[in-house]
Amino acid sequence: MTPAPNPAAICLNGLTILPGERVLTRLVISRLPSGTVIDIPVHVFRSTVPGPTVLLMAGMHGDEVNGIEIIRRLIRRDLLRPLRGTIIAIPILNIYGFLNFSRDVPDGKDVNRSFPGNPRGSLASRVAHRFMREIMPLIDYGIDFHTGGAARSNMPQIRCLLHEDPETDAIAAAFAAPFTLHSALRAGSLRETAMQLGKRIIVYETGESLRLDEPGIDLAIAGTFRVLHYLGMVADASRPEHPAIVCLRHTWLRAKFAGLFRSHVRNGDYIEKGQIYGSVADPYGEHAVRLEAPVAGYIIGLNHMPVVNQGDALVHVGRLDAAPSRIDLAPPYEEKPMKPLEHEPEDHDDDEPEAP
């Protein structure tokens, strides 16, 4: 007679994992052309007491190392010991991108636009499908750790769909990042697919790709523990130093002209509408233009690349107003001749931009 399955057991990657167990398993995805096996390490930490299952995941984009380091520290410091429920930790989902210092998989596709995936589809679609088959059915909540793009640094922030699901609002508030952004769901993303299945996943962003952001990492660890504490999975969690600033709208200000970009603001600064937030100059010393903010708000993302093309994103502004403005409907740039500054300041390489 076949024994009845243990209702408290979970099955992952062909393993039966019982309450109280701590398991490391590896999801085999494919092989490199050399024959080297590519697999995804998955850590499972289970309490003997029933409770929710929380996913902590990073490395959806292989060059976003801050999230990888956040989960690595949680595991290395043996901090993931739930009092109830289960924690599933995946430090790197996109092993291919990690090996190649790349956001995407080798076929150029984004895993986070490939959900729910297809077992016979592209490489990115196969990674997404394996995740959906093995991990998604087990989880109730998730924190997906991300980082800004190349040379674009994000202030520590939570992104989620606000005011549509009370439980999502609650875990975002519990995390209490410096900024919380209302972020619409995107087709093919993990968040959209999870929402369709009744799973709540929030996204944490900090820093830029291929660079560690120590303050953002520390904030993420503290915020993760606040979420686990809210869910009754850990006994204690630190209080946030400041209440989160909630931005229901956010806007990228883009370059109207190509040239050399100099920012006059820093991440976290507040700018007024009409304030000069930077300048773009041609590289030959003939012309330069001041950049005037068309909206007010907090700088939550900043492009550190000095060479910009027309239409490039320069600064990301988190706004406190809820109504759309003309900037939301405008094209990314306008065709205008470059005008010189009336009184262009002398350039000094060691100058630091003054805070507004």
Side-chain angles (χ1 to χ4, degrees):
M1 180 177 178
T2 303
N6 183 343
I10 62 173
C11 184
L12 173 59
N13 200 27
L15 298 176
T16 298
I17 307 173
L18 299 174
E21 290 190 328
R22 173 174 177 167
V23 172
L24 169 61
T25 186
R26 297 175 182 273
L27 302 179
V28 175
I29 299 299
S30 185
R31 294 176 181 268
L32 295 175
S34 64
T36 303
V37 172
I38 292 295
D39 53 26
I40 300 171
V42 179
H43 297 260
V44 182
F45 307 87
R46 301 207 67 198
S47 169
T48 56
V49 180
T53 297
V54 174
L55 170 71
L56 306 178
M57 188 173 75
M60 177 90 76
H61 301 126
D63 60 352
E64 297 184 356
V65 294
N66 283 308
I68 297 169
E69 178 64 8
I70 290 162
I71 297 182
R72 187 200 71 82
R73 291 187 190 182
L74 289 168
I75 294 170
R76 181 65 179 173
R77 296 173 183 175
D78 198 21
L79 297 176
L80 300 179
R81 291 178 172 268
L83 299 177
R84 70 183 191 110
T86 300
I87 297 174
I88 298 176
I90 304 177
I92 309 174
L93 182 68
N94 180 1
I95 300 291
Y96 294 94
F98 180 73
L99 293 174
N100 291 289
F101 312 104
S102 168
R103 174 183 177 88
D104 304 319
V105 293
D107 62 7
K109 290 184 169 57
D110 186 342
V111 176
N112 205 25
R113 298 294 179 269
S114 303
F115 287 93
N118 186 323
R120 294 175 295 278
S122 68
L123 185 54
S125 186
R126 292 174 188 231
V127 172
H129 176 266
R130 190 66 190 278
F131 176 92
M132 292 297 296
R133 190 180 76 183
E134 298 283 357
I135 306 297
M136 186 66 86
L138 304 177
I139 69 171
D140 302 299
Y141 305 93
I143 305 174
D144 185 17
F145 296 98
H146 284 261
T147 295
R152 292 199 300 271
S153 179
N154 285 333
M155 275 292 290
Q157 58 194 251
I158 285 290
R159 297 183 182 183
C160 62
L161 197 63
L162 288 172
H163 304 334
E164 294 198 19
D165 172 62
E167 201 64 4
T168 299
D169 291 350
I171 61 172
F175 194 107
F179 291 90
T180 299
L181 275 60
H182 171 69
S183 181
L185 300 174
R186 293 190 177 185
S189 68
L190 174 62
R191 280 200 303 130
E192 182 203 48
T193 306
M195 181 66 76
Q196 291 172 352
L197 297 173
K199 320 279 187 173
R200 282 86 173 190
I201 293 181
I202 60 175
V203 169
Y204 176 78
E205 295 259 0
T206 191
E208 63 183 280
S209 61
L210 297 177
R211 283 181 171 79
L212 293 179
D213 172 32
E214 289 294 337
I217 291 169
D218 290 340
L219 286 169
I221 292 173
T224 298
F225 266 78
R226 285 192 287 269
V227 171
L228 295 175
H229 180 67
Y230 165 77
L231 296 173
M233 300 176 71
V234 298
D236 299 303
S238 62
R239 292 181 176 273
E241 293 185 7
H242 306 285
I245 297 171
V246 178
C247 300
L248 297 180
R249 300 190 65 82
H250 43 100
T251 301
W252 273 104
L253 306 185
R254 297 180 176 272
K256 296 180 179 179
F257 313 101
L260 299 175
F261 170 58
R262 292 186 64 187
S263 173
H264 297 173
V265 295
R266 299 183 179 92
N267 259 332
D269 287 350
Y270 184 83
I271 59 171
E272 299 285 356
K273 183 177 180 179
Q275 180 177 327
I276 303 300
Y277 67 87
S279 64
V280 173
D282 78 282
Y284 308 107
E286 296 180 1
H287 301 283
V289 290
R290 293 189 180 97
L291 303 175
E292 183 178 300
V295 294
Y298 288 92
I299 304 298
I300 55 173
L302 185 60
N303 188 350
H304 295 296
M305 177 63 71
V307 181
V308 297
N309 289 297
Q310 207 172 39
D312 281 357
L314 301 179
V315 298
H316 196 187
V317 180
R319 294 155 52 186
L320 305 183
D321 62 302
S325 66
R326 292 180 63 187
I327 188 66
D328 299 308
L329 307 175
Y333 58 85
E334 299 175 14
E335 295 288 354
K336 291 182 180 179
M338 183 173 281
K339 297 179 181 179
L341 292 173
E342 294 179 0
H343 302 287
E344 184 174 2
E346 293 184 8
D347 288 333
H348 298 286
D349 292 338
D350 58 350
D351 274 357
E352 290 291 333
E354 295 182 2

